Amino acid sequence: MNRIFLDVHALQTVPPSNLNRDDTGAPKTAVYGGVPRARVSSQAWKRAIRTYFKDEHLLDPAELGVRTKKVVELLADRITGLDASVERETALKLADETVKAAGFKTEVPKRKAEQAKKDGSPAPAPESKYLVFLSSRQLDGLARLALEGAADITAFLKTKENKARAKELADTRHSVDIALFGRMVADVADINVDAAVQVAHALSVHRVDNESDYYTAVDDKNTDEETGAGMIGTVDFNSATLYRYAALGVHQLAANLGQGLREDEPRTEPVRRAVEAFVQAFVSSLPTGKINTFGHHTEPDAVVVKLRTTRPISCVAAFEDPVRSDGGGHLREAADRLAAYTFDIERAYGDPGTTLTWVLRVGPATQKLADLGTETGTLRELAAAVGQAVAERLEKPA
Amino acid sequence: MSRTSVLVLRLAGPLQSWGASSRFTRRTTESAPTKSGVVGLLAAAAGIERSDDVRLAPLAALRFGVRIDQPGTRIRDFHTAHHGVTGASMPLSERFYLADAVFVAAVEGDHALLTSLHDALRAPVYPSYLGRRSCPPSEPVDLGLYEDARIEDVLTSVPWQASAWYRRSHQTPQTLTVLRETAADEPAAAADVLRDQPVSFDAAHRRHALRTVVTAPVPTPIPSVGGPREDTHDPFAALDVLEDESA
């Protein structure tokens, strides 16, 4: 099999902030190289990436998925959307049967049903027992199938052929974020999708001890007799230069996405667009924990992207020995270390014949990284260059 | 009889998590890599699908051992999730990780099979991770294939893999702990039993059987010098000079 991996490395400085909290409200931490570090969990950052896809309209909404238990209602909406003459109750029935044929168990939520009985309102729609992640395109396919068998849906879906079609519709043409981040449905093993992306927890390149900000707030309506604050409290925070890393199995993404969706586009188009969107979203997304308190809106100071035919390699070990500030921040030393480590690890384990490298960087502190690969001027250029190279490599026979 | 070789892996990274008995919202980690985790890593590299029990079987039949070179620290991660559509909170969960740990894992078995797995590690179908997908290894994991060898001997001779900072700040221990499966001709009386023998990784019917584990210390082998891990920046070197001057 033709193996293609993309690994993305970023150095990003965040000012005092609390991007990702633990149960006490303090920023998450880890221990690495024997000292405490700031940590942002991979889950938090993946959520930020998904949100970024949506907010920045990086991809057509039809390519994005929705995670819900209300899959029956959602499908019923599609059915009435396609054919307005179908009554709501019929649409729900059609949807329920189709969802079940696709392999999901559904049930009417008990508490809602009892409440509806009390109120005399119509019975609620069945819900799937687990969160189901379906793309818009998948829902459209299922809606059309349901309408095809609308005359007698039970008999229609009883035939082996139609049942298989329902299953297939739920299992092919995965939306981009399902293809990237995977789908877990606990009771339908055969339509699970394994994620093509591996996102590591972001770690600070230096020692970080959380700090605590004690604050008081004035009650504007206090009279002179009532001295003291309206309220007091503390907010925990830290500031950090983070090393962020993700690896993308391009061949796996291609398998998850399927080939060209339209006649008029190249076979590799869906993968190219997904890769571009991922690079852009991974670089620019930011978890929003306490963002209005701290306003930690930053972009990475440096990004290194590698396209390989052998295993992806994390460079986190460059920072196992924590960077110590010389009074001028941590970025310059971090960039120097990342450049030196990348050279070393590539010499020892890399595959210089087939590995392509791109660099996007800001400011003189990141100068040493310039020699690692092709410098790109903007994030958009970086994403386009990576997408182009991925498409070319996919076109090549194994 | 076919030749028996040993494939050795270095499992190191900021975070690892090796669950053996986790269910529901509390996801714990063992204090050393599990056989099911390491066999899963090898199967993923070889591109064996989760549902392919037939191709998994020869991998699961390999004899497994692991050495604790740097035990690491257990950290707890508090995890919240929200409903994709309604925004409602999902059940909270706790995930445990080993931070800062280094292990040497080894599998023993048919030479040809191990050669193919060794190649797969360098150009894997699915990339490697240390027990959980968000825990990539900090360096390539393969430490080499030892031909005509046994786990006991390899885990006694592979140099101590602890990180440079750990070796600086800790005294070299007299012994390292090895957890390994009993050999075929070895009495199982002294062994512990763990439900960690992978039978199927199929999401619909994931199953693990029992396996025996012998815990034994080995004398700490001398760390090798040179190699990519040794020539990292060492600010403490400057301090040594200062100490010499003040002495």
Side-chain angles (χ1 to χ4, degrees):
Chain A
M1 186 200 256
N2 211 352
R3 317 266 153 88
I4 309 176
F5 287 105
L6 198 67
D7 47 56
V8 188
H9 314 254
L11 292 173
Q12 183 163 8
T13 300
V14 284
S17 57
N18 189 347
L19 312 174
N20 182 211
R21 278 163 278 172
D22 70 11
D23 48 345
T24 68
K28 283 185 177 179
T29 55
V31 181
Y32 189 46
V35 303
R37 308 288 184 117
R39 173 172 67 95
V40 181
S41 74
S42 64
Q43 299 90 348
W45 220 301
K46 279 191 288 191
R47 184 179 158 79
I49 294 172
R50 283 188 150 131
T51 312
Y52 188 90
F53 277 161
K54 237 173 273 169
D55 294 350
E56 300 296 316
H57 307 292
L58 277 190
L59 295 158
D60 190 80
E63 285 170 292
L64 295 173
V66 49
R67 195 202 301 259
T68 180
K69 280 183 174 180
K70 298 191 169 119
V71 55
V72 172
E73 247 173 280
L74 212 58
L75 184 55
D77 291 346
R78 296 273 163 160
I79 292 171
T80 45
L82 285 175
D83 184 349
S85 70
V86 179
E87 303 244 345
R88 177 74 184 160
E89 208 166 313
T90 318
L92 280 172
K93 166 93 174 123
L94 289 176
D96 190 31
E97 292 297 330
T98 311
V99 165
K100 279 196 276 195
F104 304 98
K105 288 193 180 101
T106 66
E107 63 187 7
V108 177
K110 240 191 210 153
R111 235 186 357 199
K112 280 188 197 166
E114 277 164 20
Q115 188 63 39
K117 224 184 224 169
K118 248 188 253 166
D119 301 349
S121 50
E127 294 182 2
S128 58
K129 288 177 83 168
Y130 300 90
L131 290 176
V132 171
F133 209 153
L134 288 171
S135 70
S136 212
R137 197 182 290 118
Q138 288 167 326
L139 284 168
D140 279 336
L142 289 170
R144 271 191 291 273
L145 183 73
L147 281 171
E148 205 181 302
D152 184 352
I153 191 75
T154 321
F156 177 75
L157 289 169
K158 228 176 223 156
T159 68
K160 208 173 162 193
E161 186 207 336
N162 290 330
K163 198 170 177 174
R165 275 173 69 199
K167 272 207 154 119
E168 202 188 308
L169 279 167
D171 194 28
T172 52
R173 300 204 153 184
H174 300 303
S175 75
V176 175
D177 57 358
I178 294 170
L180 284 168
F181 299 112
R183 173 171 60 191
M184 291 297 290
V185 184
D187 63 346
V188 203
D190 55 343
I191 68 161
N192 280 355
V193 177
D194 255 328
V197 164
Q198 183 181 20
V199 178
H201 296 243
L203 280 186
S204 66
V205 300
H206 51 94
R207 180 194 178 101
V208 164
D209 293 297
N210 285 344
E211 296 177 67
S212 193
D213 180 38
Y214 171 82
Y215 67 83
T216 64
V218 176
D219 188 324
D220 287 342
K221 287 290 182 188
N222 265 7
T223 58
D224 288 346
E225 289 75 47
E226 295 173 279
T227 54
M231 69 174 292
I232 57 170
T234 55
V235 191
D236 290 337
F237 67 95
N238 59 36
S239 47
T241 297
L242 298 170
Y243 171 72
R244 300 171 50 208
Y245 167 80
L248 168 62
V250 176
H251 52 285
Q252 199 184 341
L253 176 68
N256 284 355
L257 277 174
Q259 299 196 334
L261 300 169
R262 279 187 278 272
E263 297 291 324
D264 56 348
E265 64 182 21
R267 206 165 52 88
T268 53
E269 187 64 10
V271 180
R272 188 184 66 76
R273 292 186 47 210
V275 165
E276 283 185 18
F278 173 70
V279 169
Q280 227 168 313
F282 178 78
V283 171
S284 268
S285 61
L286 197 59
T288 51
K290 287 212 170 273
I291 198 154
N292 291 333
T293 308
F294 291 105
H296 55 260
H297 304 272
T298 63
E299 296 276 351
D301 298 289
V303 181
V304 178
V305 181
K306 284 186 171 281
L307 186 65
R308 312 172 183 273
T309 52
T310 52
R311 54 173 149 31
I313 301 176
S314 157
C315 291
V316 72
F319 311 108
E320 186 174 17
D321 192 0
V323 169
R324 287 161 182 86
S325 171
D326 53 2
H330 299 98
L331 179 63
R332 181 180 301 272
E333 175 71 14
D336 290 0
R337 290 248 201 120
L338 181 58
Y341 186 85
T342 306
F343 274 121
D344 275 353
I345 199 91
E346 295 287 309
R347 174 179 42 79
Y349 300 100
D351 188 0
T354 54
T355 302
L356 297 172
T357 307
W358 297 266
V359 180
L360 176 69
R361 56 175 202 89
V362 180
T366 58
Q367 179 61 41
K368 286 240 172 90
L369 289 165
D371 301 333
L372 284 181
T374 313
E375 277 211 75
T376 50
T378 65
L379 175 56
R380 200 171 286 268
E381 275 171 46
L382 172 73
V386 175
Q388 173 85 23
V390 164
E392 276 166 21
R393 203 157 272 188
L394 277 174
E395 293 287 351
K396 267 191 225 157
Chain B
M1 196 183 134
S2 62
R3 295 156 67 198
T4 298
S5 295
V6 176
L7 177 62
V8 188
L9 314 177
R10 181 180 192 266
L11 304 174
L15 298 172
Q16 323 195 12
S17 187
W18 304 97
S21 56
S22 293
R23 286 278 188 281
F24 312 114
T25 59
R26 194 178 155 86
R27 300 295 174 144
T28 54
T29 175
E30 299 292 305
S31 51
T34 56
K35 181 177 187 180
S36 56
V38 174
V39 166
L41 182 155
L42 294 171
I48 298 173
E49 301 299 327
R50 285 181 193 276
S51 54
D52 195 342
D53 298 347
V54 176
R55 280 186 71 202
L56 176 67
L59 271 61
L62 296 167
R63 191 157 74 99
F64 174 74
V66 62
R67 194 178 73 195
I68 302 173
D69 282 28
Q70 183 179 316
T73 316
R74 204 171 290 250
I75 65 168
R76 188 178 74 105
D77 187 53
F78 174 73
H79 185 77
T80 61
H82 294 273
H83 194 287
V85 175
T86 62
S89 293
M90 304 301 294
L92 304 175
S93 66
E94 286 177 295
R95 291 157 193 225
F96 290 81
Y97 294 89
L98 291 174
D100 244 349
V102 181
F103 304 99
V104 173
V107 285
E108 177 191 294
D110 176 63
H111 179 73
L113 173 63
L114 291 184
T115 306
S116 70
L117 292 175
H118 190 216
D119 291 341
L121 282 177
R122 275 173 287 179
V125 175
Y126 303 114
S128 307
Y129 52 85
L130 307 176
R132 199 171 277 151
R133 201 189 294 271
S134 59
C135 307
S138 61
E139 278 162 58
V141 297
D142 54 297
L143 270 184
L145 182 63
Y146 290 70
E147 291 180 39
D148 300 313
R150 308 240 312 156
I151 272 188
E152 289 82 350
D153 304 328
V154 171
L155 289 182
T156 310
S157 63
V158 169
W160 187 37
Q161 294 291 318
S163 299
W165 73 268
Y166 189 84
R167 295 209 291 264
R168 270 200 308 269
S169 57
H170 292 71
Q171 263 189 339
T172 305
Q174 291 287 306
T175 59
L176 299 174
T177 303
V178 164
L179 308 165
R180 61 167 178 82
E181 272 173 63
T182 45
D185 54 357
E186 196 175 358
D192 292 329
V193 176
L194 201 65
R195 185 166 291 283
D196 179 38
Q197 171 63 33
V199 177
S200 174
F201 289 133
D202 194 319
H205 49 85
R206 181 176 293 211
R207 272 185 306 139
H208 293 91
L210 298 173
R211 70 181 184 91
T212 57
V213 181
V214 184
T215 306
V218 299
T220 303
I222 316 288
S224 62
V225 278
R229 279 190 304 285
E230 312 308 324
D231 52 22
T232 49
H233 170 70
D234 180 9
F236 283 117
L239 293 176
D240 290 343
V241 176
L242 289 177
E243 277 167 19
D244 289 345
E245 283 171 353
S246 60

